Structure formats: structure tokens, C-alpha cells
Amino acid sequence: MAQKPSIPKGTRDFGPEVMVKRNYIFDTIKSVFKLYGYQPIETPTMENLSTLLGKYGDEGDKLLFRVLNSGNFLAGIDQPEALDAVRLSPMISEKGLRYDLTVPFARYVVQYRNEIVFPFKRYQIQPVWRADRPQKGRYREFYQCDADVIGSESLLNEAELVQLVDDVFKRLNISTIVKINNRKILAGIAEYIGHPDSLIPITIAIDKLDKTSIEAVNAELLGQGISQQAVDLLQPVLFMKGTADEKFNLLAGLLQNSETGLKGISEMRLLFDYLKAMDIELTYELDLTLARGLNYYTGAIFEVKARDAQMGSICGGGRYDDLTGIFGMPDVSGVGISFGADRIYDVMTELSLFPETSSESTAVLFTNFGDREAKYCLPMLKSLRESGINAEIFPEAAKMKKQMKYADQKHIPVVIIVGEEEIANNQLTIKWMQKSEQETIPKQELIQHLSLSLEN
RNA sequence: GUGGUUGUAGCUCAGUUGGUUAGAGCACUAGUUUGUGGCACUAGGGGUCGCGGGUUCAAAUCCCGUCUUCCACCCCA
């Protein structure tokens, strides 16, 4: 064979069986989004780099896929070989693949601000790209399923998103835990320990607490220039025990001099009150070690993990107060959640949670013994399809064995066999593949015969 | 970006201290069976051993580079 074709690192092809399962996830999420009043939008695969750069932190900028300019992209550049990659890149590339769906959404909102009715609830299900090294649960191309409310500061939105998460994972039958925290509380803690400017390094360090030891986290903090005294102050906060209310009370005492921190506490108290009233079924908890990497979050932050599978977060989100401000539209607050469809797929595969039956496969196959027989079948094929039964006819007058094998491998449960004899008697033979039984019936009885049996 | 790991038929993998013509199972095609799938038997097709270079009389096997796979770190869905 010649050179084997291949696909880029970290990307995947999806065959029919996988797509049926993936669609089950997408359809479930989409139906819940609609149920909560979110409306669909799509944005382009490519954005201008000016839209994307600087929104995800330094690390995020490194992970952006950049698109080379079209045409002679070196035109007008003197001695390009003398420039390093950092200098050259902006000269030859002005577009990039989208890194998430939130930033393009913020851009969209600013651009169409006069046409949008606020608060705007939108959902968006599209692939995103990150030039990461692939590993377990990590791909370079993956789908995010986002729901965001923009133009409303109410904590009711946060509460509703948690309820939505509850709804989605209940339908997918995944047992999850939702961790909730608030960037304002984290900011308050940073103030409390005397390092208000080190919020990001502090949160990144303590976010690792569930993966590594407290010693390692403390070592990282000291390495980031946090004083020993501050690290000592941080310890009781990290290991705060009790119910959410008890934690809030303790925090309120510690953060009494931080206006931001107190604001965060009161936000969280209200959110937890709402959640109580909503009768959420899944487990949710205040987790002060939850940080989340994206820099644009300013209030509540969420992360969802599957309880029975070893996998990073399968869903995450939070509130961002000024994402549109970067694009020239200040003071518009939004909050959103993003489901990682590919990780959800991996979790469901690991736990065997996919339902066995699917509405996306063929239920009935007509065999084909020649033109005359095929023409006899075509009206029946049409009426089956009109009744909503997935049906197909084998397109060639191939050997019986081949057609049966086709049905077998496609897991088609019913095969209709029509030959000279059936045509002469205005009949058809219906074969049930699983039971390996067959019967010959008048052809006009096909549909009722099928619907009776398919129900059982 | 750092460290490790993997690559042989469509798929899963054997292949000895370098040594004839690189194998197996599954899958595929045809037949045993001209109107019956799964099971069995028979026969057949299919490989520049990831790619490039080096060592050697001789390389799937040893060395270097590169791409890819998977895993960990960084970071994240």
C-alpha cells in the first residue's frame, strides 16, 4: 500500500457507532438548554487573533492555533529569517482557531448589541481547538456545549445553571459533584494573607490541592514569592470544615476587612439559598480550593466532576463581569457553563452508561432479488418511512447470503424477503433476525405487523 | 514547553544473540450451500516492518533524527 493517510495530532475520526453515541450526548444537552430558554448561535471557526489573544492568560496564548495569512504572507517583511517566532508570528498570522466559546460569544454580543434583547440567554455547541499535548481526556479538537446568560447580574442565573447541570447529568445518568467557589472570596483571601496582587498564582497553586499534597502546594506558593507568614495564614482557610453556612460564617470573620471578600460571601450565601429552594438533586458544595484557570472570571465559579470515573472536570463555568468591556462594551455582566462533550463521552464509555437502543439505526431491510422484486418493495419502503420506521432496501441484487450478512452486521432486526412466490401471492416474508424466525404475511399487513412486534 | 512510552496486514499482536521468501488470530473475498446472517471447514487477496539517515557481508531487530500513539508534568473541557 502507498503512504497511509493520517490526521493531525490530537484529532479524531468518528465512525457511525461512535457518532450515534456522541449525538445522544449532544441531543440531551441541547434539549435541556432549550428547556431553560436558551437560544442557539454559531460563530466562525476562525477569529481575529486580536479577539483571542490576552483573554486566556499567557498559557492560553501559547495554546492558540494560529492561521497563516493567505497569499504571499512574507511580502513586505525585511529579513524574516532574522526574526524570532514571537516577533514574526503577528506579521504573518492575524487569524486563529477559537479556543473556547465564551470569548467569541462576548465578541458577538458587542457586535450585535443593538439587535440583542437582554438578558440574552444563548447556547452554542461547536468544536474548539487547543495546541496542547494530547493525553487522557485531552484532545486538540473537542466540542464544548455552552450556555450563557449575559446582561443580568442576578445570582438567580448562577442557581439556574446549577439546576441545568443537575438536569443534564441526571438525564445522562452520570453521578456528579458540583464544586462551587467565588473569585471574590479568593481575592479576599489573597488580601487577608497580605498578597492581594498574587491572586492568580495563589489560586493556581491551591487548585492543585486535590491532586497533590499540601506540602507541594505550600512549596509552590513560597516559590511564587508568597511569604511564609502568608502561607501559614492560608492553611486554616484551605482546611476549613463544616457546612457551607459554617464556612461562610468563619470566612466572614477572617475577611472582615476585605470589601471584595465580604461581597463574595454574600453572593455565595444567596446562591446557596436559591439552590436550597430549587431542590437540586446532585451533590454541590462550597470548595475554597477551586480556582479555575481562565482569567476572566470575577464571581462565582463552577466545576463538575464525575464521581465514579478518573477524569478531569467534565463541565465548568463561572461569572465574568467585564468580558465585553475588552471589546468596548463595559458594565455588562454574564455567567455561563460549558459541558465538555468529549470527556462526558469518555466517562460514559468507561462506566457503560450509553443506552443500547438508538433511534439512529436501521430497523427494517428489504432484500433485493432483482428489478421486479425491488419495484414491488418500493411502495412498502416508502410507507414504512412515512410511518417513521427507519428502513432501507439493499441497492443491488446481490446474493442472499451477502444481504443477510449486511443486515446482521448492521444489527438490523427485521429483514423483508420478497421473491417470485411472494409477488405471485401478494405477500412478503418477514424475518426476525434475533429470533431467527420468519413468517409469510399479506403485504398490506406489514405495518401493523411490524408496529405490534417492535413494541414488544 | 518538559519527561517517559509506542509504531510490523484493515484491526489486535508474535517475530530468538542482527542471518533464507516476515507470521498468527480476527476481518475481507470466493466456495462447501443458485431463497437465508451468526457456527464450522477449504482456498485466496492483502505488508518499502511509521518515515529519513547511519553501522554491517547482512537490519523489523543496533545507533541518530523526525513524525505519530499513549501516559505524567505544566495547564485545562
Side-chain angles (χ1 to χ4, degrees):
Chain A
M1 195 169 70
Q3 284 278 352
K4 259 190 231 172
S6 63
I7 55 175
K9 183 199 280 216
T11 65
R12 297 156 300 155
D13 289 318
F14 304 110
E17 282 138 52
V18 175
M19 274 315 298
V20 166
K21 293 180 187 170
R22 286 172 65 86
N23 283 340
Y24 171 72
I25 294 173
F26 291 130
D27 292 346
T28 302
I29 292 173
K30 193 192 283 186
S31 67
V32 175
F33 283 171
K34 289 185 199 164
L35 199 59
Y36 283 69
Y38 292 82
Q39 294 188 294
I41 70 160
E42 286 200 5
T43 62
T45 293
M46 287 180 278
E47 292 280 349
N48 294 324
L49 277 177
S50 55
T51 301
L52 301 174
L53 286 168
K55 311 301 187 296
Y56 309 108
D58 291 343
E59 203 64 35
D61 286 354
K62 280 187 211 154
L63 299 180
L64 282 172
F65 275 107
R66 290 152 198 255
V67 176
L68 202 56
N69 290 344
S70 309
N72 182 8
F73 50 84
L74 286 179
I77 301 176
D78 289 334
Q79 291 187 301
E81 65 278 2
L83 297 168
D84 61 16
V86 178
R87 302 269 306 282
L88 187 59
S89 171
M91 303 171 94
I92 60 176
S93 168
E94 52 194 23
K95 299 179 289 296
L97 301 184
R98 78 168 98 73
Y99 180 90
D100 74 354
L101 300 177
T102 307
V103 167
F105 174 54
R107 190 222 85 222
Y108 176 96
V109 167
V110 173
Q111 231 175 302
Y112 300 97
R113 64 222 273 181
N114 295 323
E115 299 164 36
I116 292 170
V117 178
F118 293 98
F120 181 33
K121 303 176 77 170
R122 86 86 172 77
Y123 77 83
Q124 188 171 355
I125 299 177
Q126 290 189 273
V128 302
W129 292 267
R130 296 182 189 178
D132 225 344
R133 279 234 186 141
Q135 56 176 285
K136 184 178 166 74
R138 176 171 303 190
Y139 308 101
R140 291 185 137 186
E141 177 184 59
F142 60 97
Y143 271 76
Q144 290 193 331
C145 311
D146 275 36
D148 285 77
V149 191
I150 199 158
S152 164
E153 292 180 13
S154 168
L155 271 297
L156 215 43
N157 298 307
E158 273 86 338
E160 193 183 73
L161 286 173
V162 175
Q163 193 174 32
L164 186 151
V165 167
D166 185 29
D167 215 333
V168 165
F169 289 115
K170 211 187 305 164
R171 287 171 195 232
L172 293 176
N173 207 16
I174 302 175
S175 173
T176 53
I177 180 161
V178 183
K179 296 180 175 189
I180 304 172
N181 198 3
N182 191 300
R183 274 285 169 89
K184 294 192 180 80
I185 293 180
L186 291 171
I189 291 171
E191 282 180 42
Y192 164 68
I193 66 171
H195 284 84
D197 298 333
S198 300
L199 173 62
I200 302 282
I202 291 172
T203 54
I204 287 175
I206 64 178
D207 196 37
K208 290 171 190 159
L209 204 52
D210 59 340
K211 264 179 131 178
T212 174
S213 66
I214 179 66
E215 289 79 16
V217 170
N218 288 341
E220 177 168 341
L221 286 168
L222 290 170
Q224 292 287 339
I226 311 296
S227 69
Q228 182 65 53
Q229 189 189 5
V231 172
D232 292 342
L233 273 173
L234 192 58
Q235 305 306 305
V237 179
L238 296 184
F239 294 103
M240 203 174 272
K241 292 274 187 301
T243 64
D245 274 334
E246 289 165 358
K247 288 182 187 170
F248 291 142
N249 289 334
L250 279 167
L251 278 171
L254 295 175
L255 307 185
Q256 55 185 312
N257 294 321
S258 165
E259 195 184 326
T260 309
L262 291 175
K263 179 95 192 316
I265 293 168
S266 71
E267 283 180 14
M268 286 296 99
R269 279 184 161 141
L270 182 53
L271 173 57
F272 275 72
D273 279 349
Y274 283 141
L275 293 177
K276 212 174 287 171
M278 281 175 166
D279 197 20
I280 304 287
E281 289 178 36
L282 55 62
T283 311
Y284 60 93
E285 64 180 28
L286 175 69
D287 182 351
L288 293 173
T289 70
L290 171 65
R292 291 194 58 71
L294 293 174
N295 286 343
Y296 49 67
Y297 291 125
T298 52
I301 45 183
F302 311 103
E303 192 161 285
V304 183
K305 291 194 139 186
R307 310 188 88 162
D308 309 315
Q310 196 120 40
M311 176 64 71
S313 64
I314 54 177
C315 178
R319 172 160 301 265
Y320 40 90
D321 279 335
D322 203 27
L323 201 44
T324 56
I326 310 162
F327 302 118
M329 185 179 173
D331 303 323
V332 182
S333 187
V335 61
I337 196 91
S338 178
F339 292 84
D342 302 80
R343 285 189 176 177
I344 292 174
Y345 179 94
D346 290 344
V347 167
M348 291 183 69
T349 301
E350 189 181 329
L351 302 178
S352 307
L353 293 178
F354 285 107
E356 290 201 3
T357 53
S358 157
S359 57
E360 294 196 37
S361 49
T362 304
V364 177
L365 173 76
F366 287 86
T367 55
N368 182 343
F369 294 151
D371 274 345
R372 206 165 87 85
E373 289 87 347
K375 280 180 204 153
Y376 178 87
C377 294
L378 289 178
M380 291 189 279
L381 179 59
K382 185 182 184 208
S383 65
L384 283 192
R385 288 171 174 163
E386 280 172 348
S387 316
I389 296 170
N390 300 353
E392 60 180 303
I393 184 168
F394 201 85
E396 290 169 51
K399 284 183 180 166
M400 182 72 146
K401 178 169 177 156
K402 181 165 180 163
Q403 303 192 37
M404 295 300 291
K405 199 165 184 180
Y406 176 82
D408 187 40
Q409 293 187 324
K410 259 184 104 170
H411 302 114
I412 300 173
V414 175
V415 174
I416 309 285
I417 301 163
V418 170
E420 274 179 47
E421 224 173 282
E422 282 88 351
I423 296 180
N425 299 319
N426 226 20
Q427 290 177 319
L428 54 83
T429 295
I430 178 166
K431 168 156 179 161
W432 309 93
M433 294 296 279
Q434 273 137 14
K435 283 182 283 184
S436 197
E437 288 168 8
Q438 65 187 57
E439 53 194 318
T440 303
I441 59 169
K443 81 173 196 184
Q444 59 274 14
E445 289 177 19
L446 174 61
I447 293 210
Q448 55 165 326
H449 211 82
L450 276 178
S451 46
L452 274 177
S453 305
L454 288 175
E455 274 170 27
N456 296 336

